[in-house]
Amino acid sequence: MADFVRIVEVAPRDGLQNEARHVATADKIALVDRLSATGLRSIEATSFVSPRWVPQLADAAEVMAGIVRRPGVSYPVLVPNEQGYARARAAGAEEVAVFTAASEAFARKNINASIDTSIDRFAPVLARAARDGVRVRGYVSTVLGCPYQGEVPLTEVVRVARRLHAMGCYEISLGDTIGVGTPRKARAMLRAVAAEVPMAALAVHFHDTYGQALANVAACVEAGVRVADSAVAGTGGCPYARGASGNAASEDLVYMLHGMGIDTGIDLEALAETGRWLAARLGRPTGSKAGQALAHA
Amino acid sequence: MADFVRIVEVAPRDGLQNEARHVATADKIALVDRLSATGLRSIEATSFVSPRWVPQLADAAEVMAGIVRRPGVSYPVLVPNEQGYARARAAGAEEVAVFTAASEAFARKNINASIDTSIDRFAPVLARAARDGVRVRGYVSTVLGCPYQGEVPLTEVVRVARRLHAMGCYEISLGDTIGVGTPRKARAMLRAVAAEVPMAALAVHFHDTYGQALANVAACVEAGVRVADSAVAGTGGCPYARGASGNAASEDLVYMLHGMGIDTGIDLEALAETGRWLAARLGRPTGSKAGQALAHA
């Protein structure tokens, strides 16, 4: 059996929430359905964070109502708290994701709470999710640097990841929110967390702000991680560096993994076509180099 | 002493020769002089291949006459044969580069000769260079794939690299001309060559057609290579995939290496500024993500 990496496709949520151009609800539904047809197993479909914070995703319930739930595919949605969880459940979500940061300064500015307070707010979400049989994914942001405090202590990344895992998150996604990491730092961070949380419960989530995303994923895959987040067409941008690149592009990641002899279950041509379709809706060229090259191959 | 990687900046040659927009001679001279002010030690300045093949670089002699030769900086130029070597020397070149391919089909289509015939043509260049005290760099293209024959046997890459080294090339640059390689294949290729040619005489040269360039360099640096070719602003494109990305962007590479604790001697801010300056002359945004992010940081 070939080695396998599961890709968590985050374009419909992390990608779109940072894109300036408004995307129609029907296009969001079409995006998720196109993605689920490529062989992806996990697609983060939308966010139940308040529309005041993320206006692009104000139609979360309509998106959840419109998508076709393909057997074997998970459609996690982001929830900020119990109210968000209730809205997500009412919309039929069967998996949710909660989020905090490894940087105290980032948590206070972006979640309006200390790291520990933000985690305390999840406690009831995790308790209800356990009762409901709903799986919970946990995001830790700013694991390799923070736009406010700069360096983020590795001990904090480990502490926060361990706490989310202990609270019941089945998977912890370690996010380099501002894309400042490089391969050796990414690998050292992963290894430090994996010393305390099982590697099988870890995912990596890189942004391509400085062009490092794929090199970082490769280093982490070589170190043993088997789940990686990415966004088709490299959608996402970065609110802390205007005009900067977004998430690791799923097409480039799939191209790399397949070239490394690692299976993903994904049809690269179909994924690249979906990326170009999405880019057209966003009114710009695809942010995926493989997507661009395959269009001319 | 920190670990050191020498970057061979190829924008003025490999970058510009694949850019559609004509660049004025004065701008080429300014580009080389700006690059040499960043701390780069090796800058491929131009090409003495026939202007019929590379019209963008028809002003090679004028460029060589115009640049300021900074002490400690090498300015290799591409030469196809003895006539090219003579023109390069008349223009004051003190280092030259010769080129062949690891793919027989690519050599026949692009050099109009078999691999072995193309190497035989270098013999007099290398003999004259030895007498003149001129260093010769050797390029092997299509080391990880060929647009005509697809797979390229690793044994051919090793054979060609070994032959160039035995003939007197002080450094062999292993080029993934069409950017199809991925990290494990890149590393395996490097290791196979390094079993026959000293690692200290090897360089890697990746194109970013499928977004893999930086991940490939990282894998090769971890495997021991200490010289990498790249082009500021990610210039270059790919004649075999229209609209595709060019060389590995020097700014992204320097960002990565510095983040890995590896010195390059290069001032990243100055390099990124030069990349944006060049992109403006080419009438497009910089192809370097670090260059873009640093502009907004």
Side-chain angles (χ1 to χ4, degrees):
Chain A
M1 209 178 90
D3 203 356
F4 189 90
V5 164
R6 179 164 55 86
I7 291 181
V8 178
E9 171 59 52
V10 298
R13 198 279 301 172
D14 197 22
L16 293 189
Q17 80 173 36
N18 288 309
E19 292 286 341
R21 186 191 280 206
H22 179 74
V23 177
T25 304
D27 284 339
K28 290 174 186 162
I29 293 166
L31 172 61
V32 173
D33 288 347
R34 279 169 174 264
L35 289 169
S36 69
T38 66
L40 277 158
R41 316 282 169 99
S42 302
I43 302 166
E44 197 176 55
T46 186
S47 167
F48 286 88
V49 167
S50 166
R52 275 182 299 138
W53 301 110
V54 186
Q56 175 76 273
L57 303 181
D59 54 2
E62 291 89 330
V63 170
M64 290 303 283
I67 62 173
V68 174
R69 312 283 178 104
R70 203 175 285 262
V73 179
S74 298
Y75 300 90
V77 298
L78 203 65
V79 301
N81 50 33
E82 266 196 282
Q83 293 92 310
Y85 177 82
R87 288 173 55 223
R89 287 293 288 159
E94 290 171 356
E95 177 172 339
V96 299
V98 295
F99 55 96
T100 185
S103 152
E104 198 62 60
F106 192 85
R108 288 178 191 276
K109 291 231 186 193
N110 278 61
I111 319 175
N112 257 314
S114 70
I115 295 172
D116 285 325
T117 303
S118 77
I119 297 176
D120 292 341
R121 286 189 197 149
F122 303 159
V125 170
L126 281 149
R128 286 180 62 170
R131 282 198 304 275
D132 296 345
V134 166
R135 297 205 308 169
V136 184
R137 197 166 196 254
Y139 280 108
V140 184
S141 64
T142 59
V143 298
L144 290 170
C146 169
Y148 308 117
Q149 75 180 49
E151 291 286 317
V152 174
L154 213 48
T155 50
E156 277 295 278
V157 181
V158 174
R159 183 180 76 84
V160 173
R162 195 175 46 202
R163 202 166 157 208
L164 293 187
H165 187 250
M167 287 173 77
C169 291
Y170 79 97
E171 189 164 281
I172 317 296
S173 175
L174 302 162
D176 180 14
T177 313
I178 54 172
V180 293
T182 42
R184 288 182 183 170
K185 286 178 187 166
R187 185 174 55 198
M189 180 277 299
L190 174 70
R191 285 185 174 152
V193 177
E196 306 271 343
V197 177
M199 188 69 92
L202 299 180
V204 291
H205 179 113
F206 291 109
H207 284 246
D208 209 29
T209 321
Y210 291 83
Q212 310 296 309
L214 229 55
N216 291 342
V217 179
C220 290
V221 165
E222 295 289 21
V225 84
R226 285 298 173 267
V227 184
D229 302 356
S230 61
V232 74
T235 41
C238 178
Y240 310 100
R242 270 184 329 116
S245 311
N247 287 269
S250 301
E251 304 92 312
D252 298 6
L253 177 56
V254 169
Y255 182 94
M256 183 178 83
L257 293 169
H258 291 183
M260 292 171 78
I262 296 170
D263 190 16
T264 64
I266 296 167
D267 176 342
L268 176 57
E269 293 284 349
L271 188 68
E273 202 285 323
T274 297
R276 294 189 297 267
W277 173 89
L278 175 59
R281 256 117 215 103
L282 293 168
R284 60 169 175 80
T286 177
S288 161
K289 292 184 174 182
Q292 196 175 15
L294 288 168
H296 298 284
Chain B
M1 209 178 92
D3 203 356
F4 189 91
V5 164
R6 179 164 54 86
I7 291 181
V8 178
E9 171 60 53
V10 298
R13 198 280 301 173
D14 196 22
L16 292 189
Q17 81 173 37
N18 289 310
E19 292 285 341
R21 185 190 281 207
H22 179 74
V23 176
T25 304
D27 284 339
K28 290 174 187 163
I29 293 166
L31 171 62
V32 173
D33 288 346
R34 279 170 174 263
L35 290 168
S36 68
T38 67
L40 278 158
R41 316 284 169 97
S42 300
I43 302 166
E44 198 176 52
T46 186
S47 166
F48 286 87
V49 168
S50 166
R52 276 182 297 137
W53 301 111
V54 187
Q56 175 76 274
L57 303 181
D59 54 1
E62 291 89 331
V63 169
M64 290 303 283
I67 61 173
V68 174
R69 313 283 179 103
R70 204 175 285 261
V73 178
S74 298
Y75 300 90
V77 299
L78 203 67
V79 301
N81 50 33
E82 265 196 285
Q83 295 91 310
Y85 177 83
R87 289 173 56 224
R89 287 292 288 160
E94 291 171 354
E95 177 171 338
V96 300
V98 296
F99 55 97
T100 186
S103 152
E104 199 61 60
F106 192 85
R108 288 179 190 276
K109 291 230 185 194
N110 279 60
I111 319 177
N112 257 314
S114 70
I115 293 171
D116 285 326
T117 304
S118 77
I119 296 176
D120 291 342
R121 286 188 195 150
F122 304 159
V125 170
L126 281 149
R128 288 181 60 171
R131 283 197 303 276
D132 297 345
V134 165
R135 298 205 306 169
V136 184
R137 199 167 194 252
Y139 279 107
V140 185
S141 66
T142 59
V143 297
L144 291 170
C146 169
Y148 308 116
Q149 76 180 49
E151 292 286 318
V152 173
L154 212 49
T155 50
E156 277 296 277
V157 181
V158 173
R159 184 181 76 82
V160 173
R162 196 175 44 201
R163 201 165 158 210
L164 294 187
H165 187 249
M167 287 173 76
C169 290
Y170 79 97
E171 188 165 281
I172 318 295
S173 174
L174 303 163
D176 180 14
T177 312
I178 55 173
V180 292
T182 42
R184 287 181 183 171
K185 287 178 187 166
R187 187 174 53 198
M189 181 277 300
L190 174 69
R191 285 185 174 152
V193 177
E196 306 272 342
V197 177
M199 188 68 93
L202 299 179
V204 291
H205 179 114
F206 291 109
H207 283 247
D208 208 30
T209 320
Y210 292 84
Q212 310 296 309
L214 229 54
N216 292 342
V217 179
C220 290
V221 165
E222 295 289 21
V225 83
R226 286 297 175 268
V227 184
D229 301 356
S230 62
V232 75
T235 41
C238 178
Y240 311 100
R242 270 182 333 116
S245 310
N247 288 269
S250 301
E251 303 92 311
D252 298 7
L253 177 55
V254 169
Y255 182 94
M256 182 179 83
L257 293 169
H258 290 183
M260 292 171 79
I262 296 170
D263 191 15
T264 64
I266 295 167
D267 175 342
L268 176 57
E269 293 283 350
L271 188 68
E273 203 285 323
T274 297
R276 294 190 297 268
W277 173 87
L278 175 59
R281 257 115 215 105
L282 294 168
R284 60 171 177 79
T286 177
S288 160
K289 293 184 174 181
Q292 196 173 16
L294 288 169
H296 297 285

